Each structure stands twice: as C-alpha cells, then as structure tokens.
C-alpha cells in the first residue's frame, strides 16, 4: 500500500507568493477537484510538457492580477492555479479557449438516470 | 478566463484533464498515481481505519451500519461530503458496489481524491446495468450465488462499503488490518487483501 512520495520541494514556494496551502505541514484541499488539478499539472510538468518555472511565472502573475493575495484558502488558491495553467496552455497551444469551454459544458452534463436499483 | 468567478470548476478541471489526455500529453492513470503520492491523512487510510475498527469491534460495526455519519464522527471524520454517510456490509451472499451516475459524489475525506475511473462515463453508465461484468474487468469475479447491489451516490447520501474481513486475520489488531483495506475495496470494485498479499 506504499506509494512513492512526490518531492514537493521544487513545486512549492514556502512563505512566498504561490506557496501551496498547507495544514499542519500537509497539503490542504477542501474539494477533490483541487487535488486532481494539482496532480494533473504536476504530471504534465514531470512528463516534460513545460518547466515548473514557466508555470510558476503564470501563477504569480495570476495572483498579482487578482484582488486576492491571501492564498491560504485552497478554494481560492487552486482557482488561481487553474487560471495559471490555462494561461500556460494558451502560450503552449495545448488547446484553444473555445474548445475548453465546449468540453466544460459536456463535462457538466449529468448522465441520464434510466435504471432502477437500491437508492 | 476568470476562475475565481467560475461556477462549475469541477467540470472545468475534468475538461482540462480529458483534453490533455486526448492530446496525448497526459494519462488518467498517471494523474491517479501522482494524486496517490501526495495524499496523506486525507487518503483512503481514513476509511481503512473505520473498516478495521468495524472488523475488530462488533459494537462499533453495528453503530456504523445503523448511523455511519455518527460512527465516523466518533473517529474525528466529519463534514466535507461525509455528512450523510451510509455503510453497506459485504457478506457471503451480497456484494455492494458504489457509483455516482450523475456526477462524481464520493466520500472523499474517507477515501481520498476519487480515481479517474470513478468519473469515467463508461463506469458510471455500465456498473448499474451490468455490475458483474464491470467488476470482472476490475479483476473481481464473484460467484453467481452472490447478489450484487449497486448504490448510487448523491449530494445527499454517500456510501462506504465494508468489505469482508479476509480469512487468516484472526488475532490481528485494527492497526495490522488497515494495510489490507484498499480504496477499491471500500468502493466495492475489489476485495480486501489477504495477509499473504492476494
């Protein structure tokens, strides 16, 4: 059941702008999408899609552009994190914004509930 | 693109991941592995502790089966999508498996961040119609004599499966049992592991 730990040091900026939200030293999330987004961006960086410093520049810019500088709240921080990734994705031509908007609408649609089973 | 005012941020993150996978730059399973690597106390370990206590303490198990929300609160697990938890016990005659057909509701403070497959439309659509086949694809082949109940999570109710305690674990303490209890066994797509690692 042991899983190799990701070395987070290179992705963090403790005490600085863009520092990862933590609670008692552990990463803090208050919804699953935040962890999923963080995992996706780390995976893409580890796979060589971009350098972490490239992403970090966008993250710091997003935080500076917003009115919210206190990023200890995971729900705020990871929204800024997502916006930073989208800016990087645009720079790298990973996808265009209209494609993402369209896919988001598809993902938001519930499946049809057409069956009977214990509820 | 202003994420701070985004209404459905979960759909946006799912869209990002699916686009990157389609482009061949990411793999769902690799994201699962990264997520698993940084999950700590919040991972499936919390659910495993609950199950291990239920296996070793009959009174606690009864409490878990009758009022799971209160029983897990007794172990310090409250809120964040476990407010209305129902525990279902696997037996020789009955196996339980959990899905969220509408979105991806999940007792994540007990089980960690949901794996990619829990959100796949194929899993969500198929497990209710042909659970035996889907479980077989997970490597879990159940005898025809075992009835399979599929439980559909919702914003109101989340489910925790109590897997059967494996044979050969008599005398083991709750702490010793925890490593045998995987996330998938608490969703119902696997059995608990035996002490021999099978």
């Amino acid at each position: 059941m042991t899983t190799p730990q990701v070395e987070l040091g290179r992705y963090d900026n403790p005490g600085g702008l863009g520092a990862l939200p933590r609670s008692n030293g552990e990463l803090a999330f208050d919804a699953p999408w935040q962890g999923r987004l963080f995992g996706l961006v780390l995976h893409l960086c580890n796979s060589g899609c971009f350098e972490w410093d490239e992403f970090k520049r966008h993250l710091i810019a997003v935080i500076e552009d917003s009115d919210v500088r206190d990023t200890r709240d995971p729900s705020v921080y990871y929204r800024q994190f997502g916006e930073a990734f989208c800016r990087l994705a645009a720079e790298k031509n990973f996808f265009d914004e209209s494609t993402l908007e369209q896919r988001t609408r598809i993902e938001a649609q519930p499946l049809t509930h057409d069956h009977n089973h214990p509820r | 693109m202003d994420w701070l005012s985004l209404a459905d941020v979960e759909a946006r993150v799912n869209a990002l991941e699916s686009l990157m996978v389609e482009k061949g730059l990411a793999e769902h399973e690799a994201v699962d592995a990264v997520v698993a690597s940084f999950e700590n106390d919040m991972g499936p370990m919390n659910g495993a502790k609950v199950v291990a206590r239920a296996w070793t303490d009959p009174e606690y198990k009864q409490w878990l089966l009758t009022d799971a929300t209160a029983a897990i609160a007794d172990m310090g697990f409250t809120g964040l999508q476990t407010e209305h938890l129902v525990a279902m016990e696997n037996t020789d005659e009955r196996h339980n498996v959990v899905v969220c057909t509408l979105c991806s509701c999940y007792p994540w403070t007990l089980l960690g961040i949901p794996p990619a497959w829990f959100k796949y439309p194929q899993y969500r659509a198929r497990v209710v119609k042909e659970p035996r086949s889907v479980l077989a694809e997970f490597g879990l082949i159940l005898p025809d004599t075992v009835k399979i109940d599929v439980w559909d999570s919702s914003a109101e109710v989340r489910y925790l499966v109590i897997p059967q305690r494996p044979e050969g674990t008599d005398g083991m303490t709750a702490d010793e049992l925890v490593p045998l209890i995987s996330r998938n066994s608490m969703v119902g797509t696997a059995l608990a592991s035996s002490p021999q690692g099978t």
Side-chain angles (χ1 to χ4, degrees):
Chain A
M1 293 259 304
T2 57
T3 308
Q5 292 295 299
V6 168
E7 177 47 62
L8 291 171
R10 63 181 287 229
Y11 306 110
D12 206 353
N13 183 27
L17 208 55
L20 295 167
R22 289 177 182 272
S23 174
N24 291 325
E26 305 289 356
L27 292 181
F29 303 101
D30 58 19
W33 67 262
Q34 298 161 7
R36 198 74 203 170
L37 173 66
F38 184 57
L40 172 67
V41 173
L42 257 61
H43 165 51
L44 291 167
C45 179
N46 288 337
S47 304
C49 293
F50 54 84
E51 294 296 322
W52 190 254
D53 281 350
E54 297 177 276
F55 173 75
K56 192 173 154 186
R57 276 198 296 276
H58 284 291
L59 179 59
I60 289 172
V62 168
I63 294 170
E64 287 179 340
D65 289 349
S66 81
D67 294 330
V68 186
R69 298 292 178 89
D70 184 350
T71 54
R72 284 173 297 185
D73 178 350
S75 66
V76 172
Y77 177 85
Y78 284 104
R79 283 172 179 266
Q80 294 173 326
F81 196 92
E83 189 164 331
F85 177 70
C86 284
R87 290 188 187 184
L88 177 69
E91 184 181 290
K92 299 279 185 185
N93 292 313
F94 288 154
F95 49 79
D96 59 49
E97 192 168 332
S98 63
T99 304
L100 179 60
E101 293 294 343
Q102 185 182 23
R103 182 60 59 92
T104 301
R105 284 194 293 275
I106 292 169
E107 289 287 347
Q109 290 171 356
L111 293 184
T112 307
H113 201 99
D114 63 348
H115 51 268
N116 294 310
H117 54 84
R119 302 297 296 263
Chain B
M1 188 179 305
D2 178 9
W3 280 57
L4 287 178
S5 57
L6 199 58
D8 195 343
V9 69
E10 184 178 347
R12 174 63 55 92
V13 171
N14 289 342
L16 276 179
E17 184 172 334
S18 70
L19 286 176
M20 298 308 287
V21 168
E22 279 177 17
K23 205 172 167 67
L25 296 173
E27 295 176 4
H28 291 303
E29 293 74 17
V31 179
D32 284 347
V34 174
V35 169
S37 74
F38 62 69
E39 283 183 322
N40 294 304
D41 291 345
M42 188 186 67
M45 191 63 76
N46 289 348
K49 287 176 182 169
V50 170
V51 170
R53 182 172 170 190
W55 280 353
T56 53
D57 179 345
E59 282 185 20
Y60 184 76
K61 183 165 90 174
Q62 199 51 46
W63 188 15
L64 188 63
L65 289 170
T66 52
D67 187 354
T69 309
I72 64 165
D74 186 62
M75 295 181 69
F77 307 132
T78 56
L80 291 172
Q81 304 190 354
T82 47
E83 293 90 339
H84 305 288
L85 186 75
V86 173
M88 307 303 302
E89 183 184 19
N90 287 349
T91 65
D92 287 341
E93 294 81 32
R94 177 182 169 194
H95 183 88
N96 298 283
V97 62
V98 180
V99 66
C100 176
T101 56
L102 292 176
C103 46
S104 56
C105 299
Y106 191 76
W108 73 284
T109 49
L110 289 182
L111 302 188
I113 293 164
W117 57 258
F118 192 76
K119 295 184 277 188
Y120 287 164
Q122 305 92 300
Y123 175 77
R124 290 153 57 191
R126 285 185 59 225
V127 76
V128 291
K129 293 175 180 164
E130 42 179 334
R132 207 170 291 275
S133 302
V134 171
L135 294 181
E137 290 164 24
F138 277 90
L140 176 54
I141 297 169
L142 295 170
D144 289 341
T145 51
V146 176
K147 181 175 180 289
I148 302 174
D149 285 336
V150 181
W151 301 90
D152 193 357
S153 310
S154 68
E156 289 77 35
V157 181
R158 312 290 160 108
Y159 295 96
L160 174 74
V161 174
I162 306 174
Q164 284 188 284
R165 182 171 174 165
E167 292 182 3
T169 58
D170 291 352
M172 290 175 71
T173 66
D175 285 347
E176 291 168 337
L177 291 165
V178 163
L180 307 179
I181 305 160
S182 66
R183 172 195 64 208
N184 285 14
S185 73
M186 293 180 279
V187 178
T189 54
L191 303 180
S193 303
S194 76
Q196 292 76 36
T198 56

